[in-house]
């Protein structure tokens, strides 16, 4: 690929910002609160706009239905304010985990009234997506069980399909449903969509607007994610990504900090598929928990890491790679891939940022020097925390 | 389920004996050889017949094409001798890993001549299965790669399907193909059929006589195997099992010794499905490596452990369980399952063994006291090992 | 061991109840609240007393300094009320994770003022333990980092020792410090005491009243816990247990429900050591999260599971086992262990409960029929939850 | 660190070549043989000399007592020939796994005659090391058990110490014993030295010439190796490394190909410790299985990857890092580390190779173009393999 083409790709990639990640997040042991963190949906939009200012490839805010609404239940003003700030609303996420009713699951719950309630929520979400101008529903079914015997697994699978069908059927023809999978948490015996196979099975049953969503942190130790990506691409079944990093469980760390090779190899498979003639339609989103670092910094840094990985995957010498593969040259082929990974792509990224019209080629520096962080600290303050000795 | 029905089920279960497991096996560091271990296909048949003598539910020998053949390449005499000894030939396994050509894979190899060679081998295997009177082909595609870049993953997937199609199309209408998956070993970057999803995908493409084979040891840490079983059963996609136990990797330990709950919960899901109206056709096989224990003892013990797990799953009070589930009684439901697991099913197993006409209700004691072990030690001797200080 | 001796052991075992587990607990996604769950320290003591009523071997309540205190900061009334209810205060746990200051750690924090604050808290804890009549401090240092480079690991190790030394030196000569380890959560790059080796290292430096605390859920997949136990026992370094079960991460499930073999084999190693002449002083505690099941039921069930595991370990035929080991009889030796595991120890447990003077040999039934659950539901009510559609 | 100092470090690092890795290696399923692979100890020395020719920092061959000996049991000629070729003999490794006697372990075996035999072997090894001019014994105790109950774990631990003490006591005052650990394989229930804690415990008991050897592949999924390194360094307990890469189990892949961050972060901790005043004496060795790639290529590539990781760790801006840490700047501190990781260190490595006097700055190209590979293929031939269709 020549430099112009690479720069084009780098400028065209869009990564959705998760509205929920600019707020506070934590572990089950508690949440360390951050000075200046977003308190309202308006704060979140402002933060996303600031992030887009320094990055230029994040003009879309993924949304969580439960949280991204005005105090009086309106969505249209949210869309308007976002648009005013230069942002579109991206993937809309239903909420099936944060209510007391979901103790035994949502659409998989053995309680019929909970399933019905959830299905109604799905219909609301599709309506909201339409109001928001979004074409993608992002579905994480958090349902599961904690103990053998607690529920009948096959019946849960049937309930799962029933619920997803309600959601799928409510969507317009030009909408896409992306279905996430996760091996564990918040439940610890079974999760009703535990891996990509279970997600794909549901997509196959629903129809060709249902695709698999791959969250990088939702895998057991050792899973080869890029092979799953490659398989899904070949089946035309890849819908999108939640980017983050895991070291142990679903740690939701800044993407690219645990094993930068992983993200690079995923991009490599995507480019391989595209160059092999596969038509792709992939929604990229971040989904992370910035437990100790300032959220906005963590998000900006994540996108930069994703760009680095993407640029490296783009500079792989594919002609040489093909030749090495044809000659069964194992070391040579791997070295071509590693040479690309080892390439300093900083100049490419800086050029892309200049062409995007950004005011600084270093987005993190741009943010830190721009005064926004100081401003929100002052305006929003510190959300009622314990202080030392107090 | 009443006692008569339970006993009926215990007597009807058939577990195939792997011809290869009565010989020596080891790790990459070497093989500890056992005095009296099988040297020839005739020895293997004799050993399986002895095992069947004390167990009564193992009248079938699973076969490995490469090894279960006469010195002059005949299969019919193998079948005849087995039948003479009261054994049928069960699942027939092609060999796609033990030849130099398979260094880059077999049907997934980038070398066309290797793929062709393998496909020819598949046709041979189907012919052999017919000669042997077997209706099941057990396919473990050991193929994979060791390094990123070594080969094109999507092309390997296409080659995989092509090769399996040759095998599938050669089978008679009344034959079944069971396709195994494995996350790693003997390759360590990608395995071409790495998990149940990739196996199921191939089965879907091939046709309804292709089913998934679940080897209990072929999972990454933490995978919930019984949920996979439940999913496959609900999709009418479960073909069979390779039983063994893993603690770390594909350890191939005696089944039931690492976590006896696992096997019990798998049987539970099978019975759940059957009672829920799912028609099952499951081939049970052992597939273990008896690295340090006498192989025949290890095999007998394994079947006993499988019977214990099965009996416990059969005695679950399903009426009470259903009621607890309806009442959302999490602890109560789990305790009903655990109470079954904690039941002493020894009396049931002994009764089943009496009704099977066995000469001793303790198969291991029967074997140890029957003189066979002493006999083969004398006749077969010790296969040329280093002795202490020598 | 004869039956009398086994019964004696079963009656003598004491398992501490964690005051914090009778309240609500959840995941980072939220907490499902339970009707009737404990709201105050008085509720917690009442609940523990009820649990002790039906179990008879749990007359001790482990305590968490931050939460087990009167509204006006008094501990003596807590002790008095507990004693009134027949309970002693057991292991006292400092809190080093639930305050904003601990964002970069507590005694390992790079901020000197946080370390000083924590050390002061340690001194308070020792004072509280003395007031409460407790002789054991249970120290979970939750500290860690999330990203490479965030802090200097060796300096953190030095700060860790410094902080623990303050705690250790403040203890009376007849007090014991038990130091927990955990591989991850709430931090996800390093944890300052990540495994038993790091815990033991600190204990070695502190002195012989510092011992290792093993939480069953604080291990990475595949770790052989019973070998760690055996090693610590042989080094006279085992201080106690936090019992629970993990399947994926630190799931804090009901002990004995994931793999009942694990707990059995741990007890086996303890009895092995004791019979081998090792003097043990082990503090047993539960530490679980009852996210979906009623907490009191979950706790009672856990203790019953522990008793089952212990009873099975006690009935191992150790003479036969020793003989099988001497004869290098791998299958025979394992089968002796498995036969004990497969034994129905219900009659033994019932006899022990009768001898303990319990009013019912089934503690769970005793609790469910005793009216306490209904009573607390009425008195304490439902703690302000969302209801369906609301 | 200035460029001169960095270059100095790059030139001074010595990585030992494992004599065993230039031969064929495989999995338990078989070994793919390589044309031209080393057949004799003389071949191995020739291969190591060729590797040193192109790398310049590998003038030492680690040795395996069982295999690196003349046909008539002599070691002196091996040393002479190596010296002639410009190589010294490095770490000497006893063999305690490749004999039938070791079925229940070597120094931990329950059989007294096997323990005695092994201890005698240890004495031989020390003698051989002296003859070879080596000052380091590298001890991998492969011992373990496969099933609970098979042996008494505490007794095995005592036997382990006894055996190691014989080895330690036989060493000269200027010799070093490095003790390896491994969680599993070739045994699958317990390994007698399963983790760094068990290794350290033995070292503590033996004396200050015993240190821990860290094999990068000998860890369970998720273990943070660099924290172990940091801990061992701080305790003056780190003896050396076996370099390789794992993805799933002990895969023994080319180091730096699975997660290049790992190796980089390990080097970072070593440099951190050294700059913090810790005196280090670390033996670096490769220990890999080149199952499908040409062994010599794999080895050269591995050393290049190690150099890349080391160079990146050396260019970390430690002043800026210290400042970011002091300011609790989590993102900033991590980014400084990542910026170093992302640096193109190729110019540095090329300069170092020029200063080392190598004839080409690309060692792999140098090897491929040097004619050696062709020469050994012709001279040594193909070691009797099956060919396609044959």
């Amino acid at each position: 690929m020549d430099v112009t083409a690479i720069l084009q790709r780098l400028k065209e990639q869009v990564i959705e910002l998760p509205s929920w990640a600019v707020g506070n997040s934590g572990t089950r042991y508690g949440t360390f609160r951050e000075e200046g963190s977003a308190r309202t949906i308006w704060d979140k939009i402002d933060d996303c706009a600031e992030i887009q200012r320094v990055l230029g490839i994040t003009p879309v805010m993924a949304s969580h239905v439960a949280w991204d609404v005005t105090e009086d239940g309106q969505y249209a003003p949210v869309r308007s304010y976002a648009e005013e700030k230069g942002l579109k609303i991206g993937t809309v996420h239903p909420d099936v985990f944060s209510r007391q009713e979901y103790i035994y699951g949502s659409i998989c719950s053995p309680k019929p009234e909970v399933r019905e309630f959830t299905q109604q929520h799905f219909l609301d979400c599709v309506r909201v997506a339409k109001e928001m101008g979004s074409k993608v529903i992002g579905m994480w079914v958090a349902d599961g069980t904690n103990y053998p015997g607690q529920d009948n697994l096959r019946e849960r699978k049937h309930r799962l399909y029933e619920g997803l069908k309600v959601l799928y059927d409510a969507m317009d023809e030009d909408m896409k449903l992306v279905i996430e999978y996760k091996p564990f948490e918040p439940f610890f015996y079974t999760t009703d969509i535990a891996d990509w196979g279970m997600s794909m099975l549901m997509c196959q049953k629903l129809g060709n607007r249902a695709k698999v969503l791959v969250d990088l942190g939702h895998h057991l130790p050792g899973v080869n994610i890029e092979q799953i990506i490659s398989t899904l691409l070949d089946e035309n079944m890849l819908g999108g990504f939640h980017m983050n990093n895991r070291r142990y469980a679903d740690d939701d760390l800044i993407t690219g900090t645990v094993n930068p090779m992983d993200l690079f190899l995923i991009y490599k498979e995507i480019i391989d598929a595209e160059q092999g003639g596969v038509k792709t339609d992939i929604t990229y989103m971040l989904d992370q928990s910035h437990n100790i670092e300032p959220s906005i910094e963590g998000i900006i840094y994540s996108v930069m890491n994703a760009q680095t990985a993407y640029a490296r995957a783009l500079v792989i010498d594919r002609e040489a790679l093909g030749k090495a593969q044809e000659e069964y040259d194992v070391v040579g082929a791997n070295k071509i891939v590693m040479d690309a990974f080892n390439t300093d792509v900083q100049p490419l990224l800086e050029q892309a940022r200049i062409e995007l019209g950004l005011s600084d080629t270093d987005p993190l520096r741009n943010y830190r020097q721009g005064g926004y962080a100081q401003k929100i600290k002052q305006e929003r303050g510190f959300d009622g925390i314990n202080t030392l000795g107090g």
Side-chain angles (χ1 to χ4, degrees), chain A residues 247-260:
Chain A
R247 186 179 294 271
Y248 305 100
D250 184 24
D251 310 328
D252 276 332
L253 296 167
I254 293 171
T255 200
T257 58
V258 175
N259 182 352

Side-chain angles (χ1 to χ4, degrees), chain A residues 114-155:
Chain A
V114 175
R115 298 201 296 275
E116 210 171 300
F117 173 81
T118 314
Q119 292 174 9
Q120 195 56 52
H121 174 63
F122 284 174
L123 299 179
D124 287 348
C125 287
V126 175
R127 182 183 48 76
V128 168
K130 292 176 189 176
E131 281 182 35
M132 301 281 245
S134 168
K135 295 294 180 196
V136 187
I137 305 281
M139 188 68 245
W140 172 42
V141 179
D143 296 20
T145 67
N146 272 2
Y147 296 101
Q150 179 188 332
D151 203 351
N152 183 300
L153 299 186
R154 280 176 43 261
E155 285 178 20

Side-chain angles (χ1 to χ4, degrees), chain A residues 35-60:
Chain A
E35 203 175 352
S37 76
R39 303 152 305 177
T40 65
I41 177 63
W42 320 113
D43 285 355
K44 290 178 189 176
I45 292 170
D46 287 346
D47 289 355
C48 289
E50 166 68 6
I51 294 169
Q52 164 63 358
R53 181 184 72 80
V54 300
L55 287 167
I57 64 160
T58 57
V60 182

